[in-house]
Amino acid sequence: MNYTLTAEEYILSLLLLDGAEVAHSIKEEVFGEISEKELETRLDSATSGLISKGLLTFENQQERMDETFKSFMLGLTKVKRVIRCQIASDDGVFSTSLFCHNSFFIQNALYDNRIYHLYEKSDHTDLPALIDLNPYVESGESFSIKEQLFERVIDKLLGNEELANEEIEQFSPVFFKALQEKKGKLNALYDYHLGQQVSIGSLLYITYEEESWSIENKGDTLIISPFSFQDLLEVEK
């Protein structure tokens, strides 16, 4: 099954199923410091939207959610791990989240997170491409670089400025080629491990042709390493 919901419809659906934690995170991301009155108005509109899509009905003044939709949404609230990626492209930044369970629930956020496309996949064959990550590590070795230098180079690439040879020489040639081709645009990944205590890991990454690289902070130094979707799945849950 797949569903396309507005942010308000998505939040309301989660609230009706005791998914307040996920609903709150979406509300904060999309609407920020919205007043309770405005949120209530938006959720009233979402009620009409869900009814018009046949996903919500009322019987004896009690809401009743479509059973297939309810089962799908409950799957989102029960996962123990969510991988959220912000993917940079020439058209801007878009978000894709993987809700990891026995299967994968995919959440594509469109139009500045105003619209959410949700669907389920039983295997991960197509998932690496969805988050712009190579399936397996092909080659390459880790290296380190000072964060200040890295940020300066990224700023120059984003601004289409010329780089000095001594700046370029600090990078692995293959990695620098990726930075050049992507014009300094980097992806971001947030790895949420849910439970009584929420653990969040984060890193930047970049993919070009058959290579993906992770960029992680260690003090004032960045560690840049070959990276893949397989590495991501092998992270301890």
Side-chain angles (χ1 to χ4, degrees):
M1 297 298 297
N2 66 82
Y3 301 94
T4 300
L5 305 174
T6 66
E8 293 89 342
E9 291 167 351
Y10 192 15
I11 291 168
L12 177 60
S13 300
L14 291 166
L15 290 174
L16 292 174
L17 296 170
D18 297 324
E21 184 177 0
V22 180
H24 179 74
S25 68
I26 296 169
K27 185 204 73 144
E28 289 293 307
E29 181 177 31
V30 179
F31 302 116
E33 295 298 322
I34 188 174
S35 69
E36 290 299 320
K37 183 176 181 180
E38 184 179 352
L39 180 61
E40 183 178 344
T41 300
R42 288 183 176 276
L43 293 183
D44 284 343
S45 175
T47 301
S48 299
L50 291 176
I51 290 172
S52 69
K53 293 175 180 178
L55 302 177
L56 185 68
T57 56
F58 281 85
E59 295 180 7
N60 299 321
Q61 298 185 331
Q62 293 293 317
E63 69 269 358
R64 181 179 179 84
M65 192 173 288
D66 174 81
E67 287 300 324
T68 302
F69 180 58
K70 179 179 179 179
S71 177
F72 179 91
M73 294 300 295
L74 281 172
L76 299 181
T77 66
K78 293 179 179 178
V79 301
K80 296 299 182 183
R81 186 184 187 194
V82 180
I83 300 167
R84 182 171 177 268
C85 299
Q86 293 179 324
I87 301 161
S89 71
D90 290 339
D91 298 323
V93 177
F94 62 94
S95 297
T96 295
S97 297
L98 310 181
F99 291 72
C100 307
H101 198 45
N102 296 328
S103 59
F104 294 87
F105 296 92
I106 315 302
Q107 172 190 294
N108 289 329
L110 310 172
Y111 309 113
D112 293 327
N113 298 328
R114 296 290 176 161
I115 301 294
Y116 290 84
H117 183 211
L118 305 160
Y119 56 99
E120 186 176 5
K121 292 186 72 67
S122 59
D123 62 69
H124 54 74
T125 305
D126 301 325
L127 299 186
L130 285 176
I131 60 173
D132 190 30
L133 187 57
N134 204 45
Y136 305 100
V137 169
E138 296 292 335
S139 61
E141 295 182 358
S142 299
F143 67 97
S144 62
I145 192 166
K146 289 297 182 181
E147 184 176 15
Q148 187 176 24
L149 170 61
F150 183 84
E151 290 178 348
R152 184 167 72 245
V153 168
I154 291 297
D155 286 343
K156 285 187 174 183
L157 288 170
L158 291 172
N160 198 29
E161 298 177 33
E162 186 175 353
L163 292 167
N165 287 334
E166 54 266 29
E167 293 172 324
I168 297 172
E169 290 169 355
Q170 300 299 313
F171 291 85
S172 152
V174 177
F175 178 77
F176 185 73
K177 177 68 172 176
L179 285 182
Q180 277 187 310
E181 294 298 328
K182 294 288 187 173
K183 301 176 184 177
K185 297 182 178 72
L186 302 172
N187 302 328
L189 183 148
Y190 303 90
D191 194 356
Y192 299 83
H193 296 265
L194 310 177
Q196 290 185 339
Q197 292 185 330
V198 178
S199 170
I200 305 174
S202 64
L203 55 82
L204 298 173
Y205 69 102
I206 189 170
T207 297
Y208 175 65
E209 292 184 341
E210 300 299 321
E211 302 283 352
S212 293
W213 302 81
S214 65
I215 305 152
E216 297 187 80
N217 185 282
K218 300 291 183 183
D220 63 351
T221 300
L222 297 178
I223 308 300
I224 299 174
S225 305
F227 189 45
S228 73
F229 188 76
Q230 183 181 39
D231 295 328
L232 187 60
L233 291 189
E234 289 176 353
V235 171
E236 288 291 332
K237 298 184 180 181

